[in-house]
Amino acid sequence: MLAVKPENLRRVSLPTDAPLPVLDSIGRRSISRLLGDTGWGLPDNVVAGIASWLQICRVHLSDVTVTGCSSSRGDFPISAVLNDQENEWWISNSGTCPDGHGHEYLEFSFGAERRVTVVAVKIPALPYGPLSVRDFHLEVIDPMKSLTPTQLMTLDSREMQEFVLFPPLECRKLRLVCTRNAAAAMMSAEHVPRSLLGRGGDCIGLFQVGFA
């Protein structure tokens, strides 16, 4: 049995759909105090307008669409990556990942600026998923925002795998860029020459992608 002292507990707020302050900003209440009657004395409608520009909503499943990809083998529509069916998937064109390495991506749109704190990926595990993405990163599609990609790596698991982004991303569009498949990663770990990956290992794919 686990025993926890009351003084070591703290209350936390559950996530809601209420707007949040954008990164490096302050909340609506603080803005009102700073710019409203107790601060600069600006009219309420002006304060509300300023506050609205400094708020953002969390991304929701209903916000997400797949708007493009670097290539597709064409087995299913690329929108299949938004459902949880394991008999549908996205795989890049043959030859796009020589020796299991490449730069193949799926592009997602949220319709408006949204905060993304988690990306989740589902793949088939080995030996059934040699083409499954192993290494990947995210790219924000916005010339006004710079992002140093953080390399993420899936486990050899068929469960949905969640990756927490810190700091979170705030964007309208982003790309999930796949750079190495499971077969190449396995051969690298076992010190097998990449040239032995063989025909059919020159593409990359996944079952499902999610954001929160």
Side-chain angles (χ1 to χ4, degrees):
M1 180 179 294
L2 179 65
V4 180
K5 295 180 179 180
E7 59 267 27
N8 292 333
L9 298 175
R10 65 183 178 89
R11 294 181 181 274
V12 297
S13 299
L14 294 175
T16 69
D17 292 332
L20 306 167
V22 298
L23 291 178
D24 301 323
S25 182
I26 57 177
R28 176 180 285 270
R29 182 176 298 180
S30 297
I31 292 172
S32 296
R33 289 176 177 173
L34 178 64
L35 303 180
D37 293 338
T38 59
W40 287 12
L42 296 178
D44 290 345
N45 63 321
V46 174
V47 175
I50 294 172
S52 68
W53 283 98
L54 296 175
Q55 290 187 314
I56 192 169
C57 292
R58 294 181 176 89
V59 68
H60 190 272
L61 179 61
S62 60
D63 299 326
V64 185
T65 57
V66 192
T67 53
C69 63
S70 52
S71 70
S72 175
R73 201 168 70 176
D75 299 336
F76 302 96
I78 57 175
S79 59
V81 301
L82 296 180
N83 68 46
D84 59 1
Q85 302 299 312
E86 294 188 359
N87 58 352
E88 296 182 353
W89 51 78
W90 165 77
I91 297 177
S92 68
N93 274 341
S94 179
T96 55
C97 294
D99 299 328
H101 293 71
H103 195 272
E104 292 297 293
Y105 65 81
L106 287 162
E107 185 172 301
F108 299 89
S109 174
F110 309 129
E113 197 86 357
R114 290 289 183 263
R115 177 174 292 180
V116 183
T117 56
V118 174
V119 58
V121 175
K122 190 174 187 180
I123 58 172
L126 292 171
Y128 305 105
L131 305 180
S132 299
V133 58
R134 182 65 79 235
D135 297 342
F136 70 98
H137 63 266
L138 301 176
E139 294 180 355
V140 172
I141 307 173
D142 187 338
M144 301 299 292
K145 296 183 179 181
S146 60
L147 171 68
T148 301
T150 298
Q151 289 295 329
L152 303 172
M153 179 182 291
T154 61
L155 301 175
D156 186 30
S157 169
R158 63 186 296 271
E159 303 299 324
M160 196 71 163
Q161 303 178 45
E162 297 183 349
F163 303 82
V164 176
L165 308 177
F166 185 82
L169 302 179
E170 294 182 348
C171 56
R172 290 175 178 266
K173 294 183 178 182
L174 61 74
R175 288 175 177 173
L176 188 150
V177 183
C178 306
T179 55
R180 184 170 66 154
N181 65 25
M186 179 181 64
M187 290 195 162
S188 176
E190 297 179 1
H191 306 291
V192 177
R194 288 168 56 181
S195 58
L196 297 182
L197 184 57
R199 190 185 179 106
D202 56 357
C203 47
I204 199 164
L206 50 79
F207 275 152
Q208 183 182 359
V209 179
F211 300 96

